[in-house]
Amino acid sequence: MAEPLAGAAGPDAPALVTIELIEDAARRIAGQVVRTPLLPSPWPGLELKPENLQPIGAFKLRGAVTALSRLDPDVRAGGVLAHSSGNHAQAVAWAARSYGIDAHIVIPDNAPARKVEATRDLGATVELVPVTQRFSRPAELAAQTGKPVIPPFDDADVISGQGTIGLEIAEDAPDVAVVLVPVSGGGLISGVAAAITARCPDAVVIGVEPELAGDAAESLRTGRRVAWEPAATARTMADGLRTFSIGELPWRHISTQVHDIVTVTEDEIADTTRRLLLEARLVAEPSGAVAAAAFLHHRDRLPPGRTVAVVSGGNIDPTVLRTLLAGEPPAGPRIAPPEVTS
């Protein structure tokens, strides 16, 4: 299932995102992105950072607005490219609309229909491709058009934008002990870890991902960045966390600034998604529920102290929501594992 990936090391390795870059991002996004509060949860010891309250329903807006704001204005005027399973697509579309430019976004064809339509509704051109072309097709378009690609996670501008979440947590909870963060490509946890390391050096940042898409946990455990097959990560209901591997720059942050990565089962994700809605009154998509799931189901693996879980998004498919509220997991190939060879 896992395949080792090469990564830059030594003097050619990409530089870690600094607190200065994150502070600059905070200034750039002010007024466009919601500064989300820390909310008490129904579960003693846990507070929630509700990024589902962003205009596009997910944290991704922070990185997209930061990245577009740092483009040369003449380059930006020609439009941008992006690829995404849904939330980054909406974020780039929203940011592009705010600048009055076109966004051409490649989305894998296993993405939820609701996220695809939401991206189109924001004015972007959407191109659906087989999941195996998620990365190759944007590269082709960039070569053909010369337009810049706004990456979903492996990019210093995007990471610094996502890092404003960690900056806000540090400002609102300077005594925070544990920060739980969903992991997919690693842009979110990299930015949060960079900010928390700089501002709250005694705190630990712990990643959380689905057991069925546990490439980041395996990478941290083995000490090398690995990739999983698309058919493997497609099994999880957490559609925003199906990326095959963490990025090269995120891996540098994760390997040096992240304390641990916990994996959660599909039943635990489903249970937490329901409980966030019914008990915490927060609509979270399964991807956005995984961090809280680590607290509710694996608290014995977490250090003690004040804990914050990032609820990264709330763009849940209505059909998935109905089945989860009925106490049933979503049926189909996203849950039932296919045959996967290593």
Side-chain angles (χ1 to χ4, degrees):
M1 182 182 294
E3 175 184 350
L5 296 174
D12 295 328
L16 293 178
V17 170
T18 64
I19 191 65
E20 290 78 18
L21 271 177
I22 296 171
E23 291 169 338
D24 174 76
R27 291 188 288 269
R28 290 173 180 272
I29 68 175
Q32 297 190 69
V33 174
V34 175
R35 190 195 188 288
T36 54
L38 283 186
L39 299 179
S41 81
W43 312 295
L46 179 67
E47 293 166 89
L48 303 170
K49 181 73 168 168
E51 287 297 299
N52 57 314
L53 301 182
Q54 295 296 345
I56 56 95
F59 77 96
K60 290 283 192 177
L61 195 59
R62 295 172 182 266
V65 171
T66 300
L68 263 71
S69 75
R70 287 178 177 160
L71 289 174
D72 179 278
D74 292 335
V75 173
R76 185 173 60 222
V80 296
L81 305 169
H83 62 90
S84 168
S85 61
N87 285 334
H88 179 65
Q90 294 174 70
V92 172
W94 191 97
R97 187 181 67 176
S98 74
Y99 278 104
I101 63 173
D102 176 62
H104 184 123
I105 301 175
V106 174
I107 300 180
D109 57 11
N110 66 344
R114 180 173 181 268
K115 292 184 178 180
V116 174
E117 290 307 312
T119 305
R120 289 194 175 109
D121 289 345
L122 288 165
T125 300
V126 171
E127 181 177 347
L128 295 176
V129 299
V131 66
T132 53
Q133 295 178 21
R134 171 176 176 166
F135 298 99
S136 61
R137 180 56 181 157
E140 291 174 359
L141 289 169
Q144 293 167 4
T145 67
K147 294 180 180 180
V149 177
I150 308 300
F153 51 83
D154 203 351
D155 177 83
D157 293 330
V158 170
I159 289 172
S160 61
Q162 321 306 26
T164 59
I165 293 174
L167 195 64
E168 292 171 12
I169 292 171
E171 290 170 352
D172 293 346
D175 60 338
V176 67
V178 182
V179 182
L180 301 172
V181 188
V183 183
S184 181
L188 173 59
I189 195 170
S190 297
V192 171
I196 294 296
T197 298
R199 290 295 183 84
C200 303
D202 293 332
V204 298
V205 176
I206 295 177
V208 190
E209 66 182 347
E211 190 177 81
L212 295 183
D215 59 283
E218 181 177 350
S219 296
L220 192 63
R221 184 178 68 251
T222 61
R224 71 188 196 284
R225 189 166 63 102
V226 299
W228 281 27
E229 294 292 334
T233 61
R235 297 173 295 167
T236 178
M237 73 175 77
D239 59 90
L241 307 182
R242 292 176 181 159
T243 303
F244 321 144
S245 71
I246 48 181
E248 184 176 336
L249 180 52
W251 170 239
R252 292 205 66 219
H253 282 276
I254 290 169
S255 62
T256 58
Q257 297 177 335
V258 172
H259 178 77
D260 193 10
I261 296 179
V262 175
T263 60
V264 291
T265 68
E266 297 299 290
D267 286 344
E268 291 165 351
I269 296 170
D271 173 70
T272 305
T273 304
R274 282 192 297 270
R275 293 178 67 181
L276 281 167
L277 178 60
L278 298 176
E279 300 175 31
R281 290 89 181 169
L282 284 178
V283 177
E285 59 192 284
S287 303
V290 297
F295 183 88
L296 293 177
H297 295 278
H298 298 276
R299 194 170 183 181
D300 59 326
R301 284 194 57 181
L302 307 180
R306 188 175 184 180
T307 301
V308 173
V310 177
V311 180
S312 57
N315 294 319
I316 188 168
D317 184 275
T319 301
V320 173
L321 179 59
R322 283 194 296 270
T323 56
L324 291 180
L325 288 176
E328 304 169 0
R334 292 177 183 174
I335 303 301
E339 288 293 326
V340 180
T341 56
S342 57

